Amino acid sequence: MTIDITGLDPGRIVFETSPLAELGLALHALSEPGHHPGLHGWATATTTALEPDLADRLHEADFLWRNTFSDVFMPFAGVRGGDGRTGAALADDLDILDRLDDERFVAAALEFTCASQYGAGAPSPLVDAGMRARALDMAATRGPQQVEFAQRLLTDPASVRRWVRRLFEDCDQAFFADTWQRTRVQLVADARHKTDLLRRKGIGEAMGAVSTAVSLDASVDRISIDKLTEGATDATDPAVGPGLTLIPTSLGWPHLTVLHAPGWRPVIHYPVHRPELPSPASVELLQLRMEALAHPMRMRLCRNIARSPYTTGELADTNGITSPEVSRHLTVLKKAGLITTRRRGRYVLHQLDLTVVARLGSDFLEGILR
């Protein structure tokens, strides 16, 4: 994922807090608690306390936050002529959402029907018959509630907009106001710190502080975000208003999202780093590790060195292969950062890094230790 910032005034890069964006991730965590193991207690308590009517309405609209992170939650990036600034309170963000024109609101609300065309600038289903038919067809694959919602949205967007705003207001009253009150101080402090870092040390330092997955390629004036998702956007588009907005979240880990819809201001929505959370591995390193562990002989070697350190000769003898073969497999595992080595006299001992492997998946770790 890349963001072109060629010639962009650093003053146009802003760190903001957004209660509406945080509400979107709160709703996602409630619908997909498996993504957020650190929030299980909060999610369980919040879900249990929901009134049945509100729970039903959340279920009706959960495609806005379960499978995709709808841009409905970041309207400040889509208001024509806007400055990328967010609201101080949820009501302020909802007022900005009201300023989003119908075509942009409908496109954002129907993201789940056109994810493959998200970055292509497809015409609005409000005016294009082909996109309208496609949106309804894609909604049908998700179920009758999604079809009904899509039909209502395409027929009478104003009534759906009122319904969505009321839903978010009721969420605020039911649980989110308290959640925002607890998290807001940390998010404001993070945004202030990153702004100060941007001013004192420049864009590269500020992006590196956001996440190890975010970096500046100064040679081409481009910000890169290390994600499996591919896409590109331009922070200098005069039609949108040049600029880039970065939004911290305390509920979003491990998700790092990038708004890159054509005609919208780019946004990076990043989790605030906490010491107990691991830094994300690069996609390239993840691929290296998965490929390294996929080989049957390397799995057998991992079984040995997961239990205790082994020399190359011991591994060769145990597995019935030559020492050079063992060395080749160990080189692959070491390149992927999966093993550690230490010297004991004239012997070199190899051991599996269980902490790294555990982050890849407990099934593999349990399998080799079984």
Side-chain angles (χ1 to χ4, degrees), residues 236-249:
T236 63
D237 185 353
V240 182
L244 167 66
T245 301
L246 297 99
I247 307 288
T249 168

